[in-house]
Amino acid sequence: MIHIGKFQANVLDSSGNIQRAFLLPATPADVPREWSFDWPGIWSSSDFNYQGIIKFVYEDQVLGLMRYGLYPYPGIPAFLEVEQLEANPADRFVEPVGRWLLWYAVQMALRACSVDEDQTLVFLISLAEAIRYYRDRIQMEYLEPVTVAPGEDGYAFRFTRSAAQAFCRRQSAQWGNPSASN
């Protein structure tokens, strides 16, 4: 799997102070057992030849995880799919967790995928409760409703290459540029 390394990013803590958090590849020891999503199960079913799991860490605590895949596989990647993204449901004492995880996904896609400016670079399917987050806060383009599983509706969103670059510019303007870290 292609990794782009470890990054330090600015976050706002509950006291209103700017702090530093980290974005980096996760390990099996990082996946929580008490979150909403079955991260241990998804870890064991991931194919790390084309999928990866990134963690968002603040003060040595994992506050967010994102699984992504580069497609098509095998072959030359054309787009990145965000397959799961979850912020720790119990501890929301820093922000923005999800936005930084998506920033990492976009950076990965920009480096790994060759598509034109108006073609899909990043794709994800949201559940109903997150539609406004992706549409209004992240400013992803809504595509259509999809079926996630029998009886479970999903909603497809995308970033074209140009929209992904615009997202990164907005994120950096608001939160600063992340720096590569060891």
Side-chain angles (χ1 to χ4, degrees), residues 46-160:
S46 292
D47 183 336
F48 291 98
N49 289 315
Y50 66 96
Q51 295 174 313
I53 299 176
I54 299 303
K55 63 183 176 179
F56 177 96
V57 178
Y58 175 72
E59 293 186 345
D60 296 324
Q61 184 177 359
V62 175
L63 297 184
L65 289 167
M66 176 189 62
R67 182 173 84 152
Y68 62 88
L70 291 168
Y71 297 98
Y73 179 81
I76 298 170
F79 68 94
L80 180 142
E81 180 178 357
V82 174
E83 297 175 348
Q84 282 81 29
L85 189 150
E86 183 178 16
N88 183 337
D91 297 317
R92 295 305 300 259
F93 52 87
V94 298
E95 65 171 307
V97 176
R99 291 175 65 104
W100 279 127
L101 288 166
L102 286 169
W103 176 90
Y104 195 101
V106 168
Q107 295 302 310
M108 175 80 65
L110 287 168
R111 294 175 190 190
C113 305
S114 295
V115 296
D116 292 335
E117 294 297 309
D118 62 342
Q119 291 180 307
T120 299
L121 179 71
V122 176
F123 176 81
L124 70 82
I125 295 175
S126 167
L127 297 177
E129 59 268 15
I131 290 172
R132 288 196 322 224
Y133 176 76
Y134 291 113
R135 184 190 63 212
D136 302 340
R137 294 191 67 196
I138 303 300
Q139 298 179 11
M140 292 185 90
E141 177 186 354
Y142 172 74
L143 297 173
E144 62 187 349
V146 295
T147 300
V148 177
E152 188 172 20
D153 294 331
Y155 304 87
F157 287 87
R158 77 170 183 163
F159 273 142
T160 61

Side-chain angles (χ1 to χ4, degrees), residues 17-40:
N17 298 314
I18 298 290
Q19 302 292 334
R20 299 295 273 172
F22 296 91
L23 294 153
L24 64 155
T27 66
D30 296 320
V31 296
R33 304 205 180 305
E34 67 280 353
W35 288 14
S36 301
F37 195 76
D38 177 19
W39 287 100

